[in-house]
Amino acid sequence: GFVDDLALLCNSVEEMNRLLESLSEFCAFAGMELCIPKCEVTGYDFGKGEECRDVDAVVYNGKRLKPLAHEEAFRYLGIRTALTAGTEAEKEYILRTVGERATQLRGHQFLAHQAVQAVRAAVYPTITYSSPLCSWTAHDIAKLEERLAGVNRAAWKFARSHNTAQMVLPPE
């Protein structure tokens, strides 16, 4: 079997180690293994407003898990999130990726319909999957719209200084 993106939540290091012990027993029973280098542990006491300092004591089968700061982003179900920073990293990823796709498309050698298909396949899924989970300000949305316009301009090979282009359709 293959399992991805498992989250264990608890109130103490001792409780986490008990959960990991149960997980280890289940994995042994099911013939599964964890990829320890991909496992991370983080902790934050929301009541006190401080990071848990003893996450170094969390172990799985005697192996320490990689500690992660509470504000550091990690991927869960394909979305970049953090315990105390929310989905800010995902929003930054979306904006960066859309901008990169525009740069990659500039000067392409595709026919327009091929470039538009590339945009639909490589850009829009990035936005539609996770952007509804992010908190967007009006300024953020304006940046995203600007980058999407850049991708579409590049796909259609419009000059950067024009917001429209004259088209002549062939006679029927």
Side-chain angles (χ1 to χ4, degrees):
F2 179 76
V3 177
D4 197 15
D5 291 342
L6 173 67
L8 300 175
L9 307 173
C10 63
N11 293 313
S12 69
V13 169
E14 294 77 22
E15 190 178 342
M16 179 57 75
N17 282 328
R18 281 193 301 274
L19 284 172
L20 289 170
E21 216 172 283
S22 296
L23 180 63
S24 176
E25 291 170 10
F26 173 79
C27 287
F29 167 78
M32 299 170 66
E33 293 179 15
L34 292 186
C35 180
I36 299 298
K38 291 177 77 177
C39 296
E40 299 167 328
V41 63
T42 187
Y44 191 78
D45 186 328
F46 286 94
K48 295 179 183 174
E50 61 187 37
E51 187 165 22
C52 298
R53 308 232 182 272
D54 52 355
V55 294
D56 291 352
V58 175
V59 294
Y60 179 81
N61 288 342
K63 297 176 184 165
R64 279 189 47 212
L65 302 181
K66 175 185 167 193
L68 192 66
H70 65 90
E71 72 279 355
E72 191 175 341
F74 59 92
R75 287 185 63 171
Y76 182 67
L77 299 175
I79 297 169
R80 288 142 199 88
T81 189
L83 282 182
T84 57
T87 55
E88 194 63 29
E90 184 67 16
K91 184 171 56 175
E92 290 169 8
Y93 168 78
I94 292 167
L95 291 169
R96 183 179 64 254
T97 301
V98 172
E100 288 170 357
R101 297 300 176 261
T103 301
Q104 291 166 344
L105 268 172
R106 284 192 194 102
H108 68 80
Q109 300 301 312
F110 300 111
L111 297 173
H113 74 278
Q114 293 170 320
V116 168
Q117 277 303 113
V119 169
R120 287 185 184 146
V123 176
Y124 288 105
T126 302
I127 297 165
T128 57
Y129 177 67
S130 61
S131 64
L133 302 173
C134 299
S135 296
W136 296 87
T137 64
H139 179 70
D140 295 332
I141 292 171
K143 282 197 287 192
L144 181 59
E145 287 174 340
E146 179 184 313
R147 290 177 187 176
L148 281 171
V151 167
N152 286 303
R153 267 194 309 271
W156 286 94
K157 294 187 177 182
F158 290 159
R160 290 181 57 109
S161 61
H162 300 289
N163 59 3
T164 61
Q166 208 173 29
M167 291 188 195
V168 178
L169 298 175
E172 290 185 43

